[in-house]
Amino acid sequence: MKITEKGSISTATYTYDPDVLDEAIPTGTLLQKHPLQNGTTVSITRDEDHKYRFRADDADTWSPNMPGTTSLLEPLEPKFELGMFWSMKMQRRYKEKNPYGTDSLNTIPLRERDRAGALGNALHDAIFVYIASGFIDEKNSLFMAWYNAIGKDTFWITGERFLYHPFFGYGGTLDGISSNENGCVLYDWKTVNRISYDSYGPRIKDFAQSAAYRDALIAMGSSFAPYACKIVYIMRDDWYDSLDAHPSSPDVDIVDVPLDTATALFEESRTLTETMRLARPQ
C-alpha cells in the first residue's frame, strides 16, 4: 500500500519496487524510510515472518535479521493455559446456542480466532488510511468507536511505522504517533472482547510492548521519539457473550502506559527469553 503525504502528516510508504529493493531483500518484503532527528533517514524492512532489518543512509550493508518485539514478550503471557480455557468456552457457548449444530467443536475456536483477527486487521487498516488521508470508514463500527473517542480530536503525524532497537536487536511496527505541545505520543490499538476486558482490564504484555517501542524510537534517534505512550482498547462484542450479564466497560478505553514499570517488565521478559533460547539444546 502506498499513500501520499497529506499536509504535515508523515505517512508510511511500503514498496515492492525492484529498483528500490536491492538483491539482498527477498520478494514480499516491505520497506520503509524512517526519518531521524539528525535529518537523515534509515531504511527498515519487514519480511513475511515479521523479521526486521535496517540500513542507514551511509551504510553499504543491511543489519542481520531481528525478531519482532512480540516474540520477546512470551514470558508475560501464558498462552497455553489461556488458549485452552478460551477454547473450552467457545465450544461450550456454541453448544448452548446451537444444541443441534453439526459443526465440529474443534473448529469453533479456530474460526472465532480468525474472525477476531480479521476485525482487528480491518480496524488497523481503517485507522492507517484515516491518519494518512483523512478518509472516514463509516461502515466500520470499531473504527467509528475509535474515531469518536480519540481519532477526530487528535493531531496525528504518522501511522504504521517500522522501528528497531540498534543495541538490543529487535524490531516492530508502531500503530500511531500524535503530537501535542509537549511532544510526540505513541499509540497502540487493541481490539478486545468487552466482557473479558471488563473482567481483567489492560494486559501487562501490552504495556511492555509500548515501552519497548518507545525505547527503540529513542535509541534509533527517530523523529517520532515519544515522551508518553497510550493504549487504546476498542471493545468487541462477540456472539458467544450474549448469555452473560451486560459488562460495564465503555466502547473505548484509553490507558496511559506506566513507563517505568512497563520498561522494567520488558527488560525482564527480553532477558528471560534470551536465557531460555541459550538454554535450549543446540
Side-chain angles (χ1 to χ4, degrees):
M1 177 184 294
K2 183 177 181 180
I3 299 178
T4 57
E5 292 191 1
K6 179 197 176 203
S8 60
I9 295 176
S10 177
T11 61
T13 300
Y14 304 146
T15 180
Y16 294 100
D17 188 344
D19 294 330
V20 176
L21 299 180
D22 61 30
E23 294 180 356
I25 304 175
T27 301
T29 294
L30 299 174
L31 173 105
Q32 282 185 5
K33 293 284 190 177
H34 193 118
L36 304 180
Q37 294 174 3
N38 63 10
T40 65
T41 61
V42 60
S43 296
I44 308 175
T45 66
R46 186 185 73 192
D47 67 19
E48 294 173 325
D49 296 323
H50 279 230
K51 296 290 197 311
Y52 294 81
R53 293 199 294 173
F54 70 90
R55 186 180 70 183
D57 282 348
D58 57 355
D60 295 326
T61 59
W62 290 87
S63 73
N65 279 329
M66 298 177 292
T69 305
T70 53
S71 68
L72 305 178
L73 298 172
E74 292 182 359
L76 299 180
E77 185 174 60
K79 287 186 175 180
F80 177 77
E81 290 84 355
L82 290 178
M84 179 180 64
F85 292 132
W86 181 79
S87 295
M88 293 170 61
K89 175 183 176 181
M90 295 301 97
Q91 294 170 343
R92 185 179 70 253
R93 291 299 171 80
Y94 177 81
K95 288 192 294 184
E96 290 173 350
K97 297 181 72 66
N98 302 277
Y100 303 106
T102 58
D103 291 342
S104 170
L105 292 180
N106 291 333
T107 67
I108 303 303
L110 297 177
R111 190 168 66 195
E112 290 307 307
R113 179 203 62 189
D114 293 344
R115 188 185 70 87
L119 289 172
N121 289 337
L123 173 65
H124 276 74
D125 290 346
I127 295 174
F128 174 49
V129 170
Y130 171 74
I131 291 175
S133 69
F135 175 75
I136 300 172
D137 186 356
E138 296 181 353
K139 296 181 180 179
N140 187 324
S141 60
L142 294 180
F143 168 79
M144 291 307 299
W146 172 89
Y147 174 77
N148 289 320
I150 191 172
K152 64 181 180 181
D153 297 323
T154 302
F155 182 73
W156 303 103
I157 58 175
T158 195
E160 295 292 324
R161 282 283 177 174
F162 298 164
L163 54 84
Y164 67 94
H165 200 297
F167 310 120
F168 293 144
Y170 61 84
T173 304
L174 64 84
D175 287 342
I177 294 283
S178 73
S179 179
N180 58 37
E181 64 275 9
N182 297 317
C184 292
V185 180
L186 183 149
Y187 285 85
D188 190 16
W189 341 118
K190 302 289 186 185
T191 57
V192 292
N193 174 271
R194 187 187 300 269
I195 289 179
S196 177
Y197 189 81
D198 196 49
S199 299
Y200 302 108
R203 301 183 305 173
I204 60 171
K205 177 183 177 182
D206 299 339
F207 290 164
Q209 181 181 21
S210 292
Y213 285 177
R214 174 179 179 267
D215 289 351
L217 290 168
I218 293 172
M220 64 185 283
S222 170
S223 295
F224 309 124
Y227 74 92
C229 300
K230 296 178 183 288
I231 302 174
V232 182
Y233 291 97
I234 301 95
M235 306 302 153
R236 185 184 72 246
D237 293 309
D238 294 317
W239 63 266
Y240 49 81
D241 289 323
S242 59
L243 299 180
D244 286 315
H246 293 291
S248 60
S249 55
D251 288 341
V252 175
D253 194 18
I254 303 168
V255 180
D256 292 318
V257 175
L259 287 171
D260 289 344
T261 301
T263 300
L265 277 170
F266 175 70
E267 181 57 26
E268 292 293 337
S269 182
R270 186 186 66 81
T271 302
L272 180 56
T273 300
E274 178 64 13
T275 301
M276 293 170 64
R277 184 187 68 83
L278 294 174
R280 294 190 185 104
Q282 301 298 317

